[in-house]
Amino acid sequence: MNDKRIAVIMSLYKNDVVDYVKLAVESILNQTYKELDFFIQYDGPIRPEVDEYLTGLKDERVKIQRRAENKGLAQSLNDLLAIVMPMGYEYIARMDADDISELNRFEKQMAYFETHPEMECLGTWATEITSKGEEYFKKQMPESHEGCLEQFRVRDCMIHPTVMFRRSYIEKAGVYDLDTFFGEDTMMWAQGFAAGCTMGNVPEYLIRFRLDDNFFDRRRGWKYAKGIWQLRHRVNKMLGFGVKEDAYAIAYAVAKMMPKAILNIIYQKGRKVKE
């Protein structure tokens, strides 16, 4: 295996629409960095037009895995990791089926890895877009490992679909935790910090992250608020964080029970990056 070749992993499920999937897939296959293979997991049945598009691709780098039952994102990613890790890939990149990678994303991330050999998990900044593709928010994350750890005391420090792992991260931190209502990415970062992995972000907007029309509705309410508290409290205990971090988690959970209009304002105004 070429140690500079990237395994890209992406999950699909029944709600993914063909127009978004095309944009996502083409943004990977047309990367300026060509040394990649694209592993796609069907998480249960998908729309016929999506399957028709993917099976019609004439690109040997596309590797489709099918599963009849929907088991969720974490299980799909673990299934793909179980395929690519034994194959010896040194780099494993994430992608989501409704986002768009800038065409130089991998070139930039690989160059950053080259100059930062200590880095094991590398995300990027993202331009959040609406369902129509209009710009909504410019989302930044800390560049340094120290900045990531400081921000993680309050909220996530990586944007999941922007991330590229060295295989050492998976070897040390393990695979995605299946025992979460949501937030498999949050737990993955916690596992990395607990295992002593080094994390950071390329300070460039290298992905367009799509917020669907139900983004805020799906991320509010009692069930989501309870899940936020349970997840963050578990993370805080794992990493030895204290009462202050639990207080942040409670405040975050309470915010998830507010009206959507207020949550929208909090989402845009309350996210300052600490470096």
Side-chain angles (χ1 to χ4, degrees):
M1 174 63 67
N2 178 352
D3 64 3
K4 298 295 185 180
R5 196 167 184 85
I6 303 168
V8 186
I9 59 175
M10 185 179 84
S11 178
L12 284 168
Y13 80 127
K14 63 182 181 180
N15 288 351
D16 287 316
V17 298
V18 68
D19 288 345
Y20 294 167
V21 172
K22 285 182 178 179
L23 290 172
V25 169
E26 289 167 8
S27 78
I28 297 300
L29 297 181
N30 293 327
Q31 287 286 305
T32 56
Y33 190 95
K34 302 297 185 184
E35 293 295 309
L36 62 89
D37 293 308
F38 197 2
F39 294 83
I40 300 172
Q41 174 70 60
Y42 288 11
D43 185 16
I46 67 169
R47 296 183 179 187
E49 61 269 26
V50 174
D51 178 59
E52 182 179 356
Y53 163 68
L54 290 171
T55 54
L57 290 172
K58 305 301 181 183
D59 193 317
E60 62 183 12
R61 296 175 299 172
V62 177
K63 324 286 185 182
I64 298 174
Q65 316 297 318
R66 295 172 173 83
R67 185 174 62 231
E69 183 181 356
N70 176 267
K71 295 186 177 181
L73 178 60
Q75 184 63 65
S76 291
L77 297 180
N78 286 347
D79 289 350
L80 292 173
L81 288 173
I83 293 171
V84 304
M85 287 294 286
M87 296 175 72
Y89 290 94
E90 181 64 26
Y91 299 94
I92 301 163
R94 279 282 292 112
M95 184 59 186
D96 277 345
D98 55 357
D99 297 331
I100 305 168
S101 287
E102 304 301 344
L103 297 185
N104 62 348
R105 173 192 163 190
F106 292 162
E107 181 181 348
K108 293 279 189 176
Q109 286 183 293
M110 291 296 283
Y112 198 96
F113 271 128
E114 188 72 22
T115 57
H116 297 77
E118 78 286 355
M119 199 64 65
E120 294 172 282
C121 180
L122 183 64
T124 79
W125 294 355
T127 302
E128 294 178 338
I129 59 175
T130 67
S131 60
K132 297 178 181 179
E134 299 165 345
E135 183 177 316
Y136 176 79
F137 188 81
K138 290 284 193 180
K139 189 171 185 178
Q140 299 182 6
M141 289 290 174
E143 179 177 1
S144 70
H145 175 81
E146 293 74 19
C148 285
L149 181 58
E150 179 64 20
Q151 177 161 309
F152 197 62
R153 291 178 176 273
V154 182
R155 62 185 187 273
D156 282 355
C157 58
M158 316 288 287
I159 304 168
H160 195 194
T162 74
V163 163
M164 187 184 294
F165 301 104
R166 287 191 200 268
R167 67 178 293 112
S168 61
Y169 188 96
I170 307 300
E171 291 169 345
K172 291 157 67 172
V175 297
Y176 287 88
D177 192 307
L178 300 178
D179 188 24
T180 58
F181 161 59
F182 69 99
E184 59 281 323
D185 52 339
T186 300
M187 187 54 62
M188 188 59 144
W189 318 144
Q191 291 166 201
F193 283 123
C197 297
T198 303
M199 305 162 70
N201 290 282
V202 179
E204 296 186 50
Y205 300 101
L206 296 179
I207 200 167
R208 280 168 275 170
F209 182 93
R210 194 181 303 275
L211 307 178
D212 62 53
D213 294 335
N214 298 317
F215 181 81
F216 292 109
D217 283 332
R218 289 187 290 105
R219 287 164 172 79
R220 58 182 298 272
W222 166 247
K223 185 176 182 181
Y224 198 86
K226 180 181 177 182
I228 284 280
W229 161 248
Q230 291 175 334
L231 175 64
R232 293 304 313 192
H233 181 60
R234 182 180 169 194
V235 166
N236 292 343
K237 289 182 65 177
M238 180 187 300
L239 298 181
F241 295 161
V243 174
K244 182 179 179 181
E245 287 75 20
D246 273 350
Y248 281 131
I250 292 171
Y252 189 17
V254 169
K256 293 298 183 180
M257 293 186 285
M258 293 182 178
K260 184 169 69 172
I262 296 177
L263 188 59
N264 191 341
I265 294 171
I266 293 173
Y267 190 74
Q268 290 203 51
K269 301 298 184 183
R271 302 186 297 171
K272 302 298 183 182
V273 176
K274 293 183 179 181
E275 187 56 79

